[in-house]
Amino acid sequence: MNAVKSGTTVADIMVRKVKTISQETTVNQAARLFAAYSIRHLVVRDAENSVIGVFSERDLMKHTIHCLSHNKLPGTSSVVETVAKSPVTVGPEMSVTKAAEILATRKIGCL
């Protein structure tokens, strides 16, 4: 892991072109996107194109374990049934140190 220079902000390191999916996207489709783009998070949008959550590899794993433990076929339901709603967001001017504290405190993988 690279050291971060003092004064580095979220704007300095954030991904600007995030991948988004609709709330109707299936868990299988999302898993394929994770593999195709080597990413771990997808922003989920509703019919009005508003952000409603973030679907993560962790969500995929929880979904798969839940389905398998209940003798259900994993992956066929939509991501909206599993997605983490109300994603945590921060402004681009926030220091990366503060952003890292939020990630650690909330035990989340992205902002």
Side-chain angles (χ1 to χ4, degrees), residues 53-71:
V54 175
F55 186 75
S56 68
E57 282 185 327
R58 184 182 302 171
D59 296 323
L60 172 62
M61 183 175 59
K62 285 180 185 178
H63 167 79
T64 302
I65 291 168
H66 174 79
C67 287
L68 293 176
S69 67
H70 290 87
N71 294 320

Side-chain angles (χ1 to χ4, degrees), residues 24-99:
E24 289 85 24
T25 302
T26 67
V27 173
N28 278 341
Q29 291 168 323
R32 284 191 208 96
L33 290 171
F34 288 150
Y37 294 103
S38 297
I39 57 176
R40 297 180 312 190
H41 302 92
L42 292 161
V43 174
V44 183
R45 295 186 175 271
D46 64 15
E48 290 79 38
N49 212 28
S50 297
V51 173
I52 59 170
V54 175
F55 186 75
S56 68
E57 282 185 327
R58 184 182 302 171
D59 296 323
L60 172 62
M61 183 175 59
K62 285 180 185 178
H63 167 79
T64 302
I65 291 168
H66 174 79
C67 287
L68 293 176
S69 67
H70 290 87
N71 294 320
K72 296 179 181 177
L73 183 62
T76 56
S77 60
S78 73
V79 295
V80 78
E81 296 174 31
T82 310
V83 70
K85 303 220 176 32
S86 303
V88 178
T89 61
V90 300
E93 70 287 345
M94 180 178 281
S95 74
V96 292
T97 303
K98 179 63 177 166

